[in-house]
């Protein structure tokens, strides 16, 4: 399955007083990249929720921080599917600092999301990923 790249710049709001990216922001960057990955298939999370009452929730993340990102760094978040099951997707996501010589790996995660239905009773119910979405993702 193909890889999706998402670029972003580290702003002051992403860092601590020393100009180093706060550890939780790496997961935020990955979330942004997965949202843009969905958009690359013409899928809006808002429409998915409104029209199908479906969404994806993170249920597990295995993370490794390798090198700190810093203020003004240009980052590339690479997203690819490792595995799809009827209700879950496992993503491999890596964050690199863009470098003219060779991009530097800063962070990586294997992240598992589950497809859920947002029921009117405010319960979140596991749901099969619609077949047309699975087919799009597997192309």
């Amino acid at each position: 399955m193909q890889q999706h790249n998402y670029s972003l710049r580290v702003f002051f709001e992403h860092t601590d007083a020393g100009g180093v990216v706060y550890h939780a922001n790496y997961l935020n960057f990955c979330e942004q990249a997965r949202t843009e990955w969905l958009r690359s298939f013409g899928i809006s999370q808002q429409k998915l929720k409104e029209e199908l009452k479906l969404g994806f929730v993170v249920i597990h993340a295995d993370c490794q921080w390798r090198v700190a990102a810093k203020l003004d760094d240009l980052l590339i978040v690479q997203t690819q599917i490792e595995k799809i099951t009827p209700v879950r997707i496992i993503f491999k996501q890596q964050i690199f600092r863009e470098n003219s010589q060779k991009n530097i790996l800063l962070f990586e995660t294997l992240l598992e999301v589950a497809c859920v239905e947002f029921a009117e009773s405010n319960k979140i119910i596991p749901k099969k990923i619609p077949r047309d979405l699975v087919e799009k993702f597997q192309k």
Side-chain angles (χ1 to χ4, degrees), residues 95-109:
I95 300 178
F96 294 88
R97 177 184 300 123
E98 191 172 275
N99 185 299
S100 60
Q101 311 283 312
K102 181 182 178 187
N103 292 340
I104 299 163
L105 178 62
L106 307 178
F107 172 84
E108 60 188 330
T109 184

Side-chain angles (χ1 to χ4, degrees), residues 48-67:
L48 196 61
K49 185 177 180 189
E50 287 173 0
E51 295 172 9
L52 300 176
K53 306 288 188 238
L54 294 180
F56 292 99
V57 296
V58 174
I59 59 171
H60 182 82
D62 183 11
C63 304
Q64 264 192 317
W65 287 262
R66 297 182 177 274
V67 177

Side-chain angles (χ1 to χ4, degrees), residues 7-26:
S7 295
L8 65 110
R9 176 81 57 193
V10 174
F11 295 117
F12 187 75
E13 67 187 29
H14 301 131
T15 65
D16 60 17
V20 175
V21 171
Y22 180 66
H23 73 279
N25 282 328
Y26 294 87

Side-chain angles (χ1 to χ4, degrees), residues 36 74 126-127 134:
E36 293 304 321
L74 182 59
K127 191 81 172 175
V134 172

